[in-house]
Amino acid sequence: MSFNIDEIRAQFPVLDQQIFGKPLSFLDSAASAQRPVAVLDAIDYYYRNDHANVHRGVHQLSQRATIAYEAGREAVRDFLGAPSTKEIVFTRGTTEAINLVAYAWGVPNLKAGDEILLSGMEHHSNIVPWQFVAAQTGAKIRVIPMDDRGVLDMEAYAELLNERTKLVGVVHVSNALGTINPVKQMTQMAHKVGAVVLIDGAQAVPHCAVDVLDMDCDFYMFSGHKVYAPTGIGALYGKKALLEAMPPWQGGGEMIRSVTFESTVVAPPPTRFEAGTPNIAGGVGLAAALGWIQALGMDAVAAHEQQLLDYGTQLLGNFDRIRLIGTAPEKAGVLSFVIDGIHPHDVGTVLDMEGVAVRTGHHCAQPVMERFGIPATTRASLGVYNNRADLDRLAMGLTRVMELLG
Ligand code: PMP
């Protein structure tokens, strides 16, 4: 498949609609992306032909459903460059994957005096679970600061790392700022002090190729819905030795080898961490989405988004009253900004009336807002289907915002 933006857009039925009589410009993919026909069809086919519960059935439908679902696991393995499907745990998404690591790795391995080192630009989902774990274990959370561009201070990071650092948790790409963090280098540095490294890949996987082996991180997670797959499905990659040493965090069907009322023998990973009937159609849709985007080519996807990001940055630069929040040299497709004197929610409402869908608020990254001394931003975020016209319409909408509210 070649990278033809008109052909790509045509594969997303939802984009073909009018909002208040204006064509839709969907600039909210960082919150959740849209689904191509390939994904919609895969789920539809699955429900029309193959649905049954997975893993335990001897009948044909159960076997087909199992094959289709497990193909999702193989698709994730391939997408992340992981050595084995035994290292891929299906979860509801990034949030659940981080909670899994926090409870199944963090609680048994952390104690008073240990340090959990997080970056100052983490999503709440990579802060709050660690606060719960810190409260339970007595471990302490420390924070890597960033500069005014939204670039992590690597000298401060080097100084914060010490023999008490047991876990380093870093977002690969910041949802609020767009910053692409040097996760490979950060992993190497953390490993020198013996820390385990968790990388939140929620915003990275839709924008660039990921290779967990090359990165050498210990845990990596993402959500399907940000990479053109359904909601309610995501994955955790964990190194085999770590997963094998971790206890289950939820009990129930599927995750056991044998059960009596006296005791239970748990299954090996990844099954150990997958209690209950899974999101089978989600796995099917995820396989379709990952196959679809890989066929486009992650390098072509990244190049397209980079061009659009440069164009959008230039357009916003024409407005004196707009301040971009997040100006790191290494950035993915996020344009977060504030307009002097106008509240982001008002900006979002006027843009909506112009057919331009953006997100406004703190983007579940309140510490980032605090760092920049603002309550919220307006965020336009890019997906594979966006084009220059979407950004032109954003700029026109912003002119309208200033006319109406300025
Ligand atoms: N981390 C980052 C960087 C995110 O952008 C998000 C979603 N906004 C999450 C974690 C949480 O993802 P989910 O809600 O799909 O679990």
Side-chain angles (χ1 to χ4, degrees), residues 93-95 123 125 171 173 175 200 202-203 223 225-226:
T94 308
T95 304
H123 188 277
S125 62
V171 69
V173 172
N175 66 313
D200 167 357
Q203 295 294 342
S223 304
H225 69 100
K226 305 215 195 244

Side-chain angles (χ1 to χ4, degrees), residues 143-370:
V143 182
I144 311 162
M146 65 182 125
D147 68 15
D148 290 342
R149 298 167 304 168
V151 175
L152 289 179
D153 180 339
M154 293 296 279
E155 276 177 30
Y157 174 52
E159 276 167 28
L160 282 161
L161 283 170
N162 65 71
E163 71 287 353
R164 294 184 301 280
T165 315
K166 291 294 178 306
L167 179 110
V168 172
V170 181
V171 69
H172 191 168
V173 172
S174 158
N175 66 313
L177 301 165
T179 310
I180 304 175
N181 286 314
V183 285
K184 183 175 175 181
Q185 186 192 353
M186 293 181 81
T187 301
Q188 275 168 2
M189 290 166 73
H191 282 168
K192 288 209 175 100
V193 298
V196 162
V197 179
L198 173 154
I199 307 294
D200 167 357
Q203 295 294 342
V205 291
H207 302 286
C208 55
V210 172
D211 183 340
V212 289
L213 266 195
D214 180 58
M215 202 184 294
D216 197 30
C217 59
D218 299 291
F219 296 109
Y220 194 96
M221 59 280 292
F222 71 93
S223 304
H225 69 100
K226 305 215 195 244
V227 66
Y228 312 106
T231 49
I233 187 81
L236 164 71
Y237 157 78
K239 280 186 182 163
K240 191 161 173 267
L242 283 168
L243 290 178
E244 279 175 348
M246 283 156 54
W249 76 308
Q250 290 177 341
E254 194 77 14
M255 49 72 69
I256 51 87
R257 198 165 248 167
S258 65
V259 178
T260 66
F261 274 104
E262 287 68 45
S263 70
T264 290
V265 180
V266 298
T271 318
R272 182 183 300 167
F273 305 106
E274 295 180 352
T277 300
N279 181 353
I280 308 165
V284 171
L286 184 57
L290 297 181
W292 181 83
I293 197 164
Q294 276 175 314
L296 280 181
M298 289 313 292
D299 290 344
V301 168
H304 170 69
E305 290 181 10
Q306 201 59 51
Q307 276 175 15
L308 284 183
L309 178 67
D310 293 346
Y311 182 63
T313 306
Q314 190 192 318
L315 286 181
L316 294 188
N318 295 333
F319 294 90
D320 307 339
R321 288 173 61 193
I322 290 187
R323 176 161 69 106
L324 266 182
I325 305 295
T327 50
E330 297 288 324
K331 239 187 106 168
V334 170
L335 290 159
S336 232
F337 57 92
V338 288
I339 307 182
D340 187 22
I342 308 178
H343 195 280
H345 289 318
D346 297 333
V347 176
T349 306
V350 173
L351 288 177
D352 185 43
M353 290 168 69
E354 298 295 316
V356 179
V358 295
R359 184 138 300 239
T360 60
H362 53 60
H363 317 297
C364 295
Q366 281 182 337
V368 173
M369 301 297 120
E370 199 185 321

Side-chain angles (χ1 to χ4, degrees), residues 5 9 304 307-308 310-311 314-315 386-394:
I5 188 63
R9 287 176 74 81
H304 170 69
Q307 276 175 15
L308 284 183
D310 293 346
Y311 182 63
Q314 190 192 318
L315 286 181
N386 287 121
N387 57 14
R388 281 181 168 233
D390 289 326
L391 292 166
D392 290 335
R393 297 189 62 247
L394 170 68

